[in-house]
Amino acid sequence: MKKNALTIGSWLQLNSPSAAEIMSQSGFEWLTVDMEHSVTSLETMQHLLQIIEGHNIVPLVRVGENNPDLIKRVMDAGAYGIIVPMINSADDAKKAVNAVKYPPQGTRGVGIARAQGYGRNFEEYASVINRESVVIVQIEHINAVNNLEEIISVDGVDGCFIGPYDLSGSLGIPGNLTHIDVLAAVSEVERICRERKMPLGIHVVDPDISLMNKYIQAGYTLLAFSSDMLLLEKICREKMAALAQVRNK
């Protein structure tokens, strides 16, 4: 991310260790455990992180809210970084960074858990976490677009993710992603991130390679390709449709 080089990851939504293991063996560079739109508990989240890290893949967590207590526990469980929804101001961004970083950079409380080797590696962990942890902010409201310069100026913000669906909702046109106002807002985020050399990402929900190529050509460097749930749903639906044609011959 510091080089703003292209990385491709995916989302884990199924709350399944087996799915996490399959995805970890599939060539992704990072995987995000989704705690915003899933039923994943803190306990299961830690188990999924163990699987991801065990396969030398970067484990991230999308938290359900910008909550310092939740973020602290996610980091203590072993996440390398977080993706935080609805960051609409510089103060929101500072709150997220503070929850990830130890003093003096942040305000994260000190505890002993898996991330610190259950106590054995605390000094080593504390010496690198402020420098190496990742904070990615989701830009998914028109207020965030209007405040983007200030948001990405916050020390400790490492990248932005555009949330186009919620962005369209904040403009009063939910789901209309091709509306001129949505396209203008997205273009503004792209412009600012390009000028500031801030890594920019988006979740390509539909597992469509042509869409991925579109965003790669547009300069996006944090690309999430679908999710465990959607990849499974798509392959099942496509194969059953093909089987139906064979069956009906």
Side-chain angles (χ1 to χ4, degrees), residues 5-10 27-31 57 212 216 220-226:
L6 174 65
T7 65
I8 296 175
S10 191
F28 293 106
E29 294 161 283
W30 49 270
L31 291 170
I57 308 299
M212 287 289 285
I216 291 171
Y220 287 67
T221 57
L222 288 170
L223 286 176
F225 182 61
S226 198

Side-chain angles (χ1 to χ4, degrees), residues 62-83:
R62 178 168 72 169
V63 293
E65 59 179 327
N66 192 5
N67 181 321
D69 181 63
L70 173 61
I71 292 171
K72 172 177 61 180
R73 297 171 79 183
V74 163
M75 293 301 296
D76 282 346
Y80 285 19
I82 57 169
I83 300 173

